[in-house]
């Protein structure tokens, strides 16, 4: 809804969504479902394909890529400026020294959001890293933050210091507590998604099936029982 509104307001720069690789196509699906008017560019594939996608002159409103891809491709992003940059599962940058954390912070964008279902109070160093992405400098350098907040709160149980930090970051956090939304949650929804294997994949798959079937036929009942883990691995 936010990204669609930005487009309707006349914002020309595309927005960037960075998420775990397992969620890349889920984001594409959700965008098509809830904002079909947005033109989506998927930055996926091998290095050459991603390079072509990033350098393409084709107009698009939203780019979607993964943490792993963006840290490999960061040099290609230096000429690109984005409107909104969103990192999903933001705990992926909880360690400020990782390549992924450094990469998302180097992206040029007008507005930044971090989405996470992981409690942000796990470790104060993780909180600092996420805010260093959102608004660099608001919590000072990590060394200053550690001395001013992390050590007093984590090791000295300084309540006054904790309340000061909470007051500082509260305006920038929109948080839904489980008890607030529990009544609104729907029953479990299940959806089957079928994926057709490519020819080479199916050839390898069939070969494994025949190999396992041949091995099982030759085994006794006791051997099958003792080899359950191997069978599971094959499956």
């Amino acid at each position: 809804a936010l990204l669609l509104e930005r487009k309707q307001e006349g914002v020309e720069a595309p927005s960037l969504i960075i998420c775990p690789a397992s969620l890349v196509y889920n984001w594409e699906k959700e965008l098509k479902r809830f904002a079909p008017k947005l033109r989506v560019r998927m930055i996926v594939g091998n290095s050459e394909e991603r390079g072509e996608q990033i350098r393409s002159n084709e107009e698009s409103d939203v780019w979607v890529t993964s943490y792993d891809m963006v840290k490999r491709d960061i040099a290609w992003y230096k000429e690109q400026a984005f409107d909104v940059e969103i990192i999903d599962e933001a705990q992926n940058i909880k360690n400020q020294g990782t390549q992924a954390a450094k990469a998302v912070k180097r992206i040029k964008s007008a507005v930044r959001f971090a989405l996470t279902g992981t409690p942000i109070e796990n470790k104060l160093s993780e909180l600092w890293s996420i805010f260093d992405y959102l608004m660099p400098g608001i919590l000072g350098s990590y060394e200053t933050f550690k001395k001013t907040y992390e050590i007093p709160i984590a090791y000295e149980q300084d309540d006054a210091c904790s309340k000061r930090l909470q007051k500082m970051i509260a305006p920038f956090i929109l948080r839904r507590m489980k008890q607030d939304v529990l009544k609104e949650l729907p029953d479990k929804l299940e959806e089957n998604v079928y994926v057709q294997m490519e020819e080479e994949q199916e050839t390898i798959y069939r070969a494994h099936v025949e190999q396992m079937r041949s091995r099982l036929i030759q085994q006794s009942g006791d051997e099958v029982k003792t080899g359950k883990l191997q069978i599971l691995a094959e499956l």
Side-chain angles (χ1 to χ4, degrees):
L2 169 69
L3 297 180
L4 184 58
E5 182 177 335
R6 300 288 284 185
K7 174 179 170 59
Q8 292 170 343
E9 289 174 347
V11 176
E12 295 183 0
S15 293
L16 175 66
I17 295 169
I18 303 170
C19 59
S22 59
L23 297 179
V24 167
Y25 292 105
N26 185 67
W27 268 97
E28 180 187 31
K29 179 182 176 182
E30 297 288 287
L31 284 161
K32 287 180 178 178
R33 179 182 177 187
F34 294 106
K37 292 183 180 179
L38 291 177
R39 296 163 296 183
V40 181
R41 183 185 301 189
M42 305 296 290
I43 312 298
V44 294
N46 59 40
S47 179
E48 184 178 345
E49 291 170 338
R50 298 196 309 274
E52 291 177 358
Q53 292 155 1
I54 292 171
R55 294 188 294 266
S56 172
N57 293 322
E58 182 181 351
E59 292 187 0
S60 54
D61 303 308
V62 184
W63 295 19
V64 182
T65 192
S66 70
Y67 287 99
D68 189 47
M69 297 297 100
V70 82
K71 72 181 181 183
R72 299 184 191 185
D73 303 336
I74 190 61
W76 290 336
Y77 284 91
K78 62 183 179 181
E79 303 299 328
Q80 178 66 48
F82 294 95
D83 177 38
V84 177
E85 180 185 1
I86 300 171
I87 59 171
D88 193 12
E89 300 292 346
Q91 65 272 16
N92 279 272
I93 68 161
K94 63 184 181 181
N95 298 323
Q96 67 262 31
T98 63
Q99 292 300 313
K102 293 177 181 178
V104 301
K105 295 174 184 181
R106 286 177 60 186
I107 300 289
K108 289 181 285 187
S109 54
V111 186
R112 289 177 172 179
F113 289 93
L115 311 178
T116 177
T118 301
I120 56 174
E121 71 271 14
N122 280 357
K123 286 186 179 179
L124 289 178
S125 59
E126 298 175 12
L127 177 71
W128 181 88
S129 184
I130 293 176
F131 267 85
D132 186 51
Y133 154 77
L134 290 171
M135 293 171 285
I138 191 171
L139 296 181
S141 68
Y142 177 61
E143 290 304 317
T144 301
F145 177 81
K146 184 177 181 179
K147 181 179 179 181
T148 308
Y149 295 104
E150 187 175 8
I151 292 176
I153 295 172
Y155 300 100
E156 300 169 8
Q157 285 73 52
D158 189 328
D159 289 338
C161 186
S162 178
K163 289 177 181 177
R164 275 202 315 274
L165 177 60
Q166 289 175 6
K167 189 175 181 179
M168 183 182 294
I169 64 175
F172 310 109
I173 299 175
L174 180 62
R175 190 178 186 191
R176 292 191 305 170
M177 304 295 287
K178 187 175 181 180
Q179 58 264 31
D180 296 333
V181 298
L182 197 58
K183 295 178 182 179
E184 302 172 16
L185 294 178
D187 293 332
K188 182 179 179 181
L189 301 176
E190 295 187 6
E191 181 179 357
N192 294 322
V193 179
Y194 297 95
V195 181
Q196 180 66 43
M197 285 188 282
E198 295 179 359
E199 185 177 351
E200 185 178 357
Q201 289 176 314
E202 187 162 2
T203 299
I204 295 172
Y205 174 79
R206 296 296 176 193
H208 274 291
V209 170
E210 290 304 320
Q211 185 181 43
M212 182 167 66
R213 180 180 288 122
S214 176
R215 190 184 305 148
L216 289 173
I217 290 173
Q218 297 175 21
Q219 290 180 351
S220 65
D222 289 338
E223 287 175 326
V224 171
K225 289 180 181 179
T226 57
K228 285 181 179 179
L229 288 178
Q230 185 179 3
I231 296 171
L232 182 61
E234 288 287 351
L235 288 172

